Amino acid sequence: MSDLHAVLEPPAADFAARAEAAYLGLALGDALGATVEFMTPREIQAQYGCHRTIRGGGWLKLKSGAVTDDTTMALALGDAILAAGGIDAHTIGEAFDAWMRAKPVDIGNTVRRGIIEFRRTGRLEAPPSEHDAGNGACMRVLPVTLATLGQPEDAVRTACRVQAHLTHNNPLSDAGTETVTLMVQDALRGADLDTLVRRRVRPLLDAFPLFDPAGKREENPSGFIKDTLRAVFQALLDTDSFETCLIDVVNRGGDADTTGAIAGMLAGALYGPASLPEPWLAALDQDIRRACMAQARALLSIPWGRIHSPSACGSTAAGE
């Protein structure tokens, strides 16, 4: 048992409530950020002042409370995990393919390319590419985070890569995605922000200094994982609540639905369900709200199964 586990083991009910807050946080950040996606901070200021209301619109012309691919792809991943009783690359690939066939409101180029290749060849792992350091694997990782809670860290990292490598096979993408997953898991156990920085962010910066949030404010962040996580880390460090964190990060513009989604899952786990603004929850698409809450609890409660990855000789049992 790790030092964190020994000290921080909240009751099961608190795990479930924080897991729901993380999933709802993802959806809220997605819905809030989608309005100002691809806008610059100056454009946001001119049109909205400080954007702080879930209102829809944006370049996708969404209805108020609607979410984008960040949330719907996470839900597709969660459905695959629940169907397989664990992390199974082929089941995840089929779920992603079905998700794309349903014509999501938006889809990233790397995600699209990976799913089409799976559909064409059945390939479960994209070839390594220096050009695939995007944020698409990180934005959808929360179901893996919840399903592997309590498993050894190596198993958690392996599970992250199984889902990620269907579309993104890149060391920076892997490092950022795994760091976010482990930060959320620590926050679900009750870790505070200083602990998350010490245990997770600093080791990431030692290995990959370009994620360092110090220095100039990351504005108009691109879809590259380093820019996304610099903006998310800065917003977390510069604020002290769920609401102020999300307002901070989406008003930076750029890939705001994804920075909002990732900051939302982290801040939801960190600050808990009471921190989620009621007006935002009321504005969120209520079918999405119910789906996130139900899936969060279901993922925590599945009997831990197997991780079936394309690089393994068959399935390997985690946590044994």
Coordinates of all heavy atoms in Angstrom, one line a residue, residues 176-252:
G176 N 1.3 12.7 -20.6 CA 0.3 13.6 -20.1 C -1.0 12.9 -19.7 O -1.6 13.2 -18.7
T177 N -1.4 11.9 -20.5 CA -2.7 11.2 -20.2 C -2.5 10.4 -18.9 O -3.4 10.4 -18.1 CB -3.0 10.3 -21.4 OG1 -3.2 11.0 -22.6 CG2 -4.3 9.5 -21.1
E178 N -1.4 9.7 -18.7 CA -1.2 9.0 -17.5 C -1.1 9.9 -16.3 O -1.6 9.5 -15.2 CB 0.1 8.1 -17.6 CG -0.1 7.0 -18.7 CD 1.2 6.4 -19.2 OE1 2.2 6.5 -18.4 OE2 1.3 6.0 -20.3
T179 N -0.5 11.0 -16.4 CA -0.4 12.0 -15.3 C -1.8 12.4 -14.9 O -2.1 12.5 -13.7 CB 0.5 13.1 -15.7 OG1 1.8 12.7 -15.9 CG2 0.5 14.2 -14.6
V180 N -2.6 12.8 -15.9 CA -4.0 13.3 -15.5 C -4.7 12.1 -14.8 O -5.4 12.4 -13.8 CB -4.7 13.8 -16.8 CG1 -6.2 13.9 -16.5 CG2 -4.1 15.1 -17.3
T181 N -4.6 10.9 -15.3 CA -5.3 9.8 -14.7 C -4.9 9.6 -13.3 O -5.7 9.5 -12.4 CB -5.0 8.5 -15.5 OG1 -5.8 8.5 -16.7 CG2 -5.4 7.3 -14.7
L182 N -3.6 9.6 -13.0 CA -3.1 9.4 -11.7 C -3.4 10.6 -10.7 O -3.7 10.4 -9.5 CB -1.6 9.1 -11.7 CG -1.2 7.8 -12.4 CD1 0.3 7.7 -12.6 CD2 -1.7 6.6 -11.5
M183 N -3.5 11.8 -11.3 CA -3.9 13.0 -10.5 C -5.4 12.8 -10.1 O -5.7 13.1 -8.9 CB -3.7 14.2 -11.3 CG -2.3 14.7 -11.5 SD -2.1 16.1 -12.6 CE -2.7 17.4 -11.5
V184 N -6.2 12.4 -11.0 CA -7.6 12.3 -10.7 C -7.8 11.2 -9.6 O -8.5 11.3 -8.6 CB -8.5 11.9 -11.9 CG1 -9.9 11.5 -11.5 CG2 -8.5 13.1 -12.9
Q185 N -7.1 10.0 -9.8 CA -7.2 9.0 -8.8 C -6.7 9.4 -7.4 O -7.4 9.1 -6.4 CB -6.4 7.8 -9.3 CG -7.0 7.0 -10.5 CD -6.3 5.7 -10.8 OE1 -5.2 5.4 -10.3 NE2 -7.0 4.9 -11.5
D186 N -5.6 10.2 -7.4 CA -5.2 10.7 -6.1 C -6.2 11.6 -5.5 O -6.5 11.6 -4.2 CB -3.8 11.4 -6.2 CG -2.7 10.4 -6.4 OD1 -2.9 9.2 -6.3 OD2 -1.6 10.9 -6.7
A187 N -6.8 12.5 -6.3 CA -7.8 13.4 -5.8 C -9.0 12.7 -5.3 O -9.6 13.1 -4.3 CB -8.2 14.4 -6.9
L188 N -9.4 11.6 -6.0 CA -10.6 10.9 -5.5 C -10.3 10.3 -4.1 O -11.2 10.1 -3.3 CB -10.9 9.7 -6.5 CG -11.4 10.1 -7.8 CD1 -11.5 8.9 -8.7 CD2 -12.8 10.8 -7.7
R189 N -9.0 10.0 -3.8 CA -8.7 9.5 -2.5 C -8.5 10.6 -1.5 O -8.3 10.3 -0.3 CB -7.3 8.7 -2.6 CG -7.4 7.5 -3.5 CD -6.1 6.7 -3.4 NE -6.1 5.5 -4.3 CZ -5.5 5.4 -5.5 NH1 -4.8 6.5 -5.9 NH2 -5.6 4.4 -6.2
G190 N -8.7 11.8 -1.9 CA -8.6 12.9 -0.9 C -7.4 13.8 -0.9 O -7.2 14.6 -0.1
A191 N -6.5 13.5 -1.9 CA -5.2 14.3 -2.0 C -5.6 15.8 -2.3 O -6.5 16.1 -3.1 CB -4.3 13.8 -3.1
D192 N -4.8 16.7 -1.7 CA -5.0 18.1 -2.0 C -4.1 18.5 -3.2 O -3.3 17.7 -3.7 CB -4.7 19.0 -0.8 CG -3.3 18.9 -0.3 OD1 -2.4 18.4 -1.0 OD2 -3.1 19.3 0.9
L193 N -4.2 19.8 -3.6 CA -3.5 20.2 -4.8 C -2.0 20.1 -4.6 O -1.3 19.7 -5.6 CB -3.9 21.6 -5.2 CG -3.3 22.2 -6.5 CD1 -3.6 21.3 -7.7 CD2 -3.9 23.6 -6.7
D194 N -1.5 20.5 -3.5 CA 0.0 20.4 -3.2 C 0.5 19.0 -3.4 O 1.5 18.7 -4.0 CB 0.3 20.9 -1.8 CG 0.2 22.4 -1.7 OD1 0.1 23.1 -2.8 OD2 0.1 22.9 -0.6
T195 N -0.3 18.0 -2.9 CA 0.1 16.6 -3.0 C 0.0 16.2 -4.5 O 0.9 15.5 -5.0 CB -0.9 15.7 -2.2 OG1 -0.8 16.2 -0.9 CG2 -0.5 14.3 -2.3
L196 N -0.9 16.6 -5.3 CA -1.0 16.3 -6.7 C 0.2 16.8 -7.4 O 0.8 16.1 -8.3 CB -2.3 16.8 -7.3 CG -3.6 16.3 -6.8 CD1 -4.8 16.9 -7.6 CD2 -3.7 14.8 -6.8
V197 N 0.6 18.0 -7.1 CA 1.8 18.6 -7.8 C 3.0 17.8 -7.4 O 3.9 17.5 -8.3 CB 1.9 20.1 -7.4 CG1 3.3 20.7 -7.9 CG2 0.8 20.9 -8.0
R198 N 3.2 17.5 -6.1 CA 4.4 16.8 -5.6 C 4.5 15.4 -6.2 O 5.5 15.0 -6.7 CB 4.4 16.8 -4.1 CG 5.6 15.9 -3.5 CD 5.6 16.0 -2.0 NE 4.3 15.6 -1.4 CZ 4.0 14.3 -1.2 NH1 4.8 13.3 -1.6 NH2 2.8 14.0 -0.7
R199 N 3.4 14.7 -6.2 CA 3.4 13.3 -6.6 C 3.3 13.1 -8.1 O 3.8 12.1 -8.6 CB 2.2 12.5 -5.9 CG 2.4 12.2 -4.5 CD 1.2 11.6 -3.9 NE 0.7 10.4 -4.6 CZ 1.2 9.1 -4.5 NH1 2.1 8.9 -3.6 NH2 0.6 8.2 -5.2
R200 N 2.7 14.0 -8.8 CA 2.4 13.7 -10.2 C 2.9 14.7 -11.2 O 3.5 14.4 -12.2 CB 0.9 13.6 -10.4 CG 0.2 12.5 -9.5 CD 0.8 11.2 -9.7 NE 0.2 10.2 -8.8 CZ 0.7 8.9 -8.7 NH1 1.8 8.5 -9.3 NH2 0.0 8.1 -7.9
V201 N 2.8 16.0 -10.9 CA 3.2 17.0 -11.8 C 4.7 17.1 -11.9 O 5.3 17.2 -13.0 CB 2.5 18.4 -11.5 CG1 3.1 19.4 -12.5 CG2 1.0 18.3 -11.6
R202 N 5.4 17.2 -10.7 CA 6.8 17.3 -10.7 C 7.5 16.2 -11.4 O 8.5 16.4 -12.2 CB 7.3 17.5 -9.3 CG 7.0 18.9 -8.7 CD 7.5 19.0 -7.3 NE 7.0 20.3 -6.7 CZ 7.1 20.6 -5.5 NH1 7.5 19.7 -4.6 NH2 6.7 21.8 -5.0
P203 N 7.2 14.9 -11.2 CA 7.8 13.8 -12.0 C 7.6 14.0 -13.5 O 8.5 13.7 -14.3 CB 7.1 12.6 -11.4 CG 6.7 12.9 -10.0 CD 6.3 14.4 -10.1
L204 N 6.4 14.4 -13.9 CA 6.2 14.7 -15.3 C 7.1 15.7 -15.8 O 7.7 15.6 -16.9 CB 4.7 15.1 -15.5 CG 4.3 15.5 -17.0 CD1 4.4 14.4 -17.9 CD2 2.9 16.2 -17.0
L205 N 7.3 16.8 -15.1 CA 8.2 17.9 -15.5 C 9.6 17.5 -15.6 O 10.4 17.9 -16.4 CB 8.0 19.1 -14.6 CG 6.6 19.7 -14.5 CD1 6.7 21.0 -13.7 CD2 6.0 19.9 -15.8
D206 N 10.0 16.6 -14.6 CA 11.4 16.0 -14.7 C 11.7 15.3 -16.0 O 12.8 15.4 -16.5 CB 11.6 15.1 -13.5 CG 11.7 15.9 -12.1 OD1 11.9 17.1 -12.2 OD2 11.5 15.2 -11.1
A207 N 10.7 14.5 -16.4 CA 10.8 13.7 -17.6 C 10.6 14.6 -18.9 O 11.2 14.3 -19.9 CB 9.9 12.5 -17.6
F208 N 9.6 15.5 -18.8 CA 9.2 16.3 -20.0 C 9.1 17.7 -19.6 O 8.0 18.2 -19.3 CB 7.9 15.8 -20.6 CG 8.0 14.3 -21.1 CD1 7.5 13.3 -20.3 CD2 8.6 14.0 -22.3 CE1 7.6 12.0 -20.8 CE2 8.6 12.7 -22.8 CZ 8.1 11.7 -22.0
P209 N 10.2 18.5 -19.5 CA 10.1 19.9 -19.0 C 9.1 20.8 -19.8 O 8.7 21.8 -19.3 CB 11.5 20.4 -19.1 CG 12.4 19.1 -19.1 CD 11.5 18.1 -19.8
L210 N 8.8 20.4 -21.0 CA 8.0 21.3 -21.8 C 6.5 21.4 -21.3 O 5.8 22.3 -21.7 CB 8.0 20.9 -23.3 CG 7.8 19.5 -23.7 CD1 6.3 19.0 -23.5 CD2 8.2 19.3 -25.1
F211 N 6.2 20.6 -20.3 CA 4.9 20.7 -19.7 C 4.9 21.7 -18.6 O 3.8 22.0 -18.0 CB 4.4 19.3 -19.1 CG 3.9 18.3 -20.1 CD1 4.7 17.2 -20.4 CD2 2.7 18.4 -20.6 CE1 4.3 16.3 -21.3 CE2 2.2 17.5 -21.5 CZ 3.0 16.4 -21.9
D212 N 6.0 22.3 -18.3 CA 6.1 23.2 -17.1 C 5.2 24.4 -17.2 O 5.2 25.1 -18.1 CB 7.6 23.7 -17.0 CG 7.9 24.4 -15.7 OD1 7.0 24.6 -14.9 OD2 9.1 24.6 -15.4
P213 N 4.3 24.5 -16.2 CA 3.3 25.6 -16.2 C 3.9 27.0 -15.8 O 3.2 28.0 -15.9 CB 2.3 25.2 -15.2 CG 3.0 24.3 -14.2 CD 4.1 23.6 -15.0
A214 N 5.2 27.0 -15.3 CA 5.8 28.2 -14.9 C 6.0 29.1 -16.1 O 6.2 28.7 -17.2 CB 7.1 28.0 -14.2
G215 N 6.0 30.4 -15.9 CA 6.3 31.4 -16.9 C 5.1 32.0 -17.5 O 4.0 32.1 -16.9
K216 N 5.1 32.3 -18.8 CA 4.1 33.0 -19.5 C 2.7 32.3 -19.5 O 2.7 31.1 -19.6 CB 4.5 33.3 -21.0 CG 3.5 34.1 -21.7 CD 4.0 34.3 -23.2 CE 3.0 35.2 -24.0 NZ 3.5 35.4 -25.4
R217 N 1.6 33.0 -19.3 CA 0.3 32.5 -19.3 C 0.0 31.8 -20.6 O 0.2 32.4 -21.7 CB -0.7 33.5 -19.0 CG -2.2 33.1 -19.0 CD -3.1 34.3 -18.7 NE -4.5 34.0 -19.0 CZ -5.3 33.4 -18.1 NH1 -4.9 33.2 -16.9 NH2 -6.6 33.2 -18.4
E218 N -0.4 30.6 -20.6 CA -0.8 29.8 -21.8 C -2.1 30.3 -22.3 O -3.2 29.9 -21.8 CB -0.8 28.3 -21.5 CG -0.9 27.5 -22.8 CD 0.3 27.4 -23.6 OE1 1.4 27.4 -23.1 OE2 0.2 27.4 -24.9
E219 N -2.1 31.1 -23.4 CA -3.4 31.6 -23.9 C -3.5 31.0 -25.3 O -2.6 30.7 -26.0 CB -3.4 33.1 -24.0 CG -3.4 33.7 -22.6 CD -3.8 35.2 -22.6 OE1 -3.5 35.8 -23.6 OE2 -4.3 35.7 -21.6
N220 N -4.8 30.9 -25.8 CA -5.1 30.3 -27.1 C -4.4 28.9 -27.2 O -3.8 28.7 -28.3 CB -4.7 31.2 -28.2 CG -5.4 31.0 -29.5 OD1 -6.5 30.4 -29.5 ND2 -4.8 31.3 -30.6
P221 N -4.5 28.0 -26.2 CA -3.8 26.8 -26.3 C -4.3 25.9 -27.5 O -5.5 25.8 -27.8 CB -4.1 26.1 -25.0 CG -5.4 26.7 -24.5 CD -5.3 28.1 -25.0
S222 N -3.3 25.3 -28.1 CA -3.6 24.4 -29.2 C -4.1 23.0 -28.7 O -4.2 22.8 -27.5 CB -2.4 24.2 -30.1 OG -1.5 23.3 -29.5
G223 N -4.3 22.1 -29.7 CA -4.7 20.8 -29.4 C -3.6 19.9 -29.0 O -3.8 18.7 -28.7
F224 N -2.3 20.4 -29.0 CA -1.2 19.6 -28.6 C -1.2 19.4 -27.1 O -1.5 20.3 -26.3 CB 0.1 20.2 -29.1 CG 0.4 20.0 -30.5 CD1 0.3 21.1 -31.4 CD2 0.6 18.8 -31.1 CE1 0.5 21.0 -32.7 CE2 0.8 18.6 -32.4 CZ 0.8 19.7 -33.3
I225 N -0.9 18.2 -26.6 CA -1.0 17.9 -25.2 C -0.2 18.8 -24.3 O -0.7 19.2 -23.2 CB -0.7 16.4 -25.0 CG1 -1.1 15.9 -23.6 CG2 0.8 16.1 -25.3 CD1 -2.5 15.8 -23.3
K226 N 0.9 19.2 -24.8 CA 1.8 20.1 -23.9 C 1.1 21.4 -23.7 O 1.1 22.0 -22.6 CB 3.2 20.3 -24.5 CG 3.2 21.1 -25.8 CD 4.7 21.3 -26.2 CE 4.7 22.2 -27.4 NZ 4.3 23.6 -27.1
D227 N 0.5 22.0 -24.7 CA -0.2 23.3 -24.6 C -1.4 23.1 -23.7 O -1.8 24.0 -22.9 CB -0.6 23.8 -26.0 CG 0.7 24.1 -26.9 OD1 1.8 24.3 -26.3 OD2 0.5 24.1 -28.1
T228 N -2.2 22.1 -24.0 CA -3.4 21.8 -23.2 C -3.1 21.7 -21.8 O -3.8 22.3 -20.9 CB -4.1 20.5 -23.7 OG1 -4.4 20.6 -25.1 CG2 -5.3 20.1 -22.9
L229 N -2.1 20.9 -21.4 CA -1.9 20.6 -20.0 C -1.2 21.8 -19.3 O -1.4 22.0 -18.1 CB -1.1 19.3 -19.8 CG -1.9 18.1 -20.1 CD1 -1.1 16.8 -19.6 CD2 -3.3 18.1 -19.4
R230 N -0.4 22.6 -20.0 CA 0.1 23.8 -19.4 C -1.0 24.7 -19.0 O -1.0 25.3 -17.9 CB 1.1 24.5 -20.4 CG 2.5 24.0 -20.4 CD 3.4 24.7 -21.4 NE 3.2 26.2 -21.4 CZ 3.8 27.0 -20.6 NH1 4.6 26.6 -19.7 NH2 3.6 28.3 -20.7
A231 N -2.0 24.9 -19.9 CA -3.1 25.7 -19.6 C -3.9 25.2 -18.4 O -4.3 25.9 -17.5 CB -4.0 25.9 -20.8
V232 N -4.1 23.9 -18.4 CA -4.9 23.2 -17.3 C -4.1 23.4 -16.0 O -4.7 23.7 -14.9 CB -5.2 21.8 -17.6 CG1 -5.7 21.0 -16.4 CG2 -6.2 21.7 -18.8
F233 N -2.8 23.1 -16.0 CA -2.1 23.2 -14.7 C -2.0 24.6 -14.2 O -2.2 24.8 -13.0 CB -0.6 22.7 -15.0 CG -0.5 21.2 -15.2 CD1 0.6 20.7 -15.9 CD2 -1.5 20.3 -14.8 CE1 0.8 19.3 -16.1 CE2 -1.4 18.9 -15.1 CZ -0.2 18.4 -15.7
Q234 N -1.9 25.6 -15.1 CA -1.9 27.0 -14.7 C -3.2 27.3 -14.0 O -3.2 28.0 -13.0 CB -1.6 27.9 -15.8 CG -0.1 27.8 -16.3 CD 0.1 28.7 -17.5 OE1 -0.8 29.2 -18.1 NE2 1.4 28.8 -18.0
A235 N -4.3 26.9 -14.7 CA -5.6 27.3 -14.1 C -5.8 26.6 -12.8 O -6.4 27.3 -11.9 CB -6.7 26.8 -15.1
L236 N -5.4 25.4 -12.6 CA -5.5 24.7 -11.3 C -4.7 25.4 -10.2 O -5.2 25.7 -9.1 CB -5.1 23.3 -11.4 CG -6.1 22.2 -11.9 CD1 -5.3 20.9 -12.2 CD2 -7.2 22.0 -11.0
L237 N -3.5 25.8 -10.6 CA -2.6 26.4 -9.6 C -3.0 27.9 -9.3 O -2.7 28.4 -8.2 CB -1.2 26.4 -10.1 CG -0.5 25.0 -10.2 CD1 0.8 25.0 -11.0 CD2 -0.3 24.4 -8.8
D238 N -3.6 28.6 -10.2 CA -3.9 30.0 -10.0 C -5.3 30.2 -9.4 O -5.7 31.4 -9.2 CB -3.8 30.7 -11.4 CG -2.4 30.8 -11.9 OD1 -1.5 30.5 -11.1 OD2 -2.3 31.1 -13.1
T239 N -6.1 29.2 -9.1 CA -7.4 29.3 -8.6 C -7.6 28.4 -7.4 O -6.7 27.6 -7.0 CB -8.5 29.0 -9.7 OG1 -8.3 27.6 -10.1 CG2 -8.3 29.9 -10.9
D240 N -8.8 28.6 -6.7 CA -9.0 27.8 -5.5 C -10.4 27.2 -5.5 O -10.9 26.8 -4.4 CB -8.7 28.6 -4.3 CG -9.6 29.8 -4.2 OD1 -10.5 30.0 -5.1 OD2 -9.4 30.6 -3.2
S241 N -11.0 27.0 -6.6 CA -12.4 26.4 -6.6 C -12.6 25.8 -8.0 O -11.9 26.1 -9.0 CB -13.5 27.4 -6.3 OG -13.6 28.3 -7.4
F242 N -13.6 24.9 -8.1 CA -14.0 24.3 -9.4 C -14.4 25.4 -10.3 O -13.9 25.5 -11.5 CB -15.2 23.4 -9.1 CG -15.7 22.7 -10.4 CD1 -15.2 21.6 -10.9 CD2 -16.7 23.3 -11.1 CE1 -15.6 21.0 -12.1 CE2 -17.2 22.8 -12.3 CZ -16.7 21.6 -12.8
E243 N -15.3 26.3 -9.9 CA -15.9 27.3 -10.8 C -14.8 28.3 -11.3 O -14.7 28.5 -12.5 CB -17.0 28.1 -10.1 CG -17.6 29.1 -11.0 CD -18.8 29.8 -10.3 OE1 -19.1 29.5 -9.1 OE2 -19.6 30.5 -11.0
T244 N -13.9 28.8 -10.4 CA -12.9 29.7 -10.9 C -11.9 29.1 -11.8 O -11.4 29.7 -12.7 CB -12.2 30.4 -9.7 OG1 -11.6 29.4 -8.8 CG2 -13.2 31.3 -8.9
C245 N -11.6 27.8 -11.5 CA -10.6 27.0 -12.4 C -11.2 26.9 -13.8 O -10.5 27.2 -14.8 CB -10.4 25.7 -11.8 SG -9.3 24.6 -12.8
L246 N -12.4 26.5 -13.9 CA -13.0 26.4 -15.3 C -13.2 27.7 -16.0 O -12.9 27.8 -17.2 CB -14.3 25.6 -15.2 CG -14.1 24.1 -15.4 CD1 -13.3 23.4 -14.3 CD2 -15.4 23.3 -15.6
I247 N -13.6 28.7 -15.3 CA -13.7 30.0 -15.9 C -12.4 30.5 -16.4 O -12.2 31.0 -17.5 CB -14.4 31.0 -15.0 CG1 -15.8 30.7 -14.7 CG2 -14.2 32.5 -15.5 CD1 -16.5 31.5 -13.6
D248 N -11.3 30.3 -15.6 CA -10.0 30.7 -16.0 C -9.5 30.0 -17.3 O -9.1 30.6 -18.2 CB -9.0 30.4 -14.8 CG -7.6 30.7 -15.2 OD1 -7.0 30.0 -16.1 OD2 -7.0 31.6 -14.5
V249 N -9.7 28.7 -17.3 CA -9.1 27.9 -18.4 C -9.9 28.2 -19.7 O -9.3 28.3 -20.8 CB -9.0 26.4 -18.1 CG1 -10.3 25.7 -18.2 CG2 -7.9 25.8 -18.9
V250 N -11.2 28.2 -19.7 CA -11.9 28.4 -21.0 C -11.8 29.8 -21.5 O -11.8 30.0 -22.7 CB -13.4 28.0 -20.9 CG1 -13.6 26.6 -20.4 CG2 -14.2 29.0 -20.0
N251 N -11.6 30.8 -20.7 CA -11.4 32.2 -21.2 C -10.0 32.4 -21.8 O -9.7 33.5 -22.3 CB -11.6 33.2 -20.0 CG -13.1 33.5 -19.9 OD1 -13.7 34.3 -20.6 ND2 -13.8 32.7 -18.9
R252 N -9.2 31.3 -21.8 CA -7.9 31.4 -22.5 C -8.2 31.1 -24.0 O -7.3 31.3 -24.8 CB -7.0 30.3 -22.0 CG -6.5 30.6 -20.5 CD -5.9 29.4 -19.9 NE -5.6 29.6 -18.5 CZ -4.4 29.8 -18.0 NH1 -3.3 29.8 -18.8 NH2 -4.2 30.0 -16.7

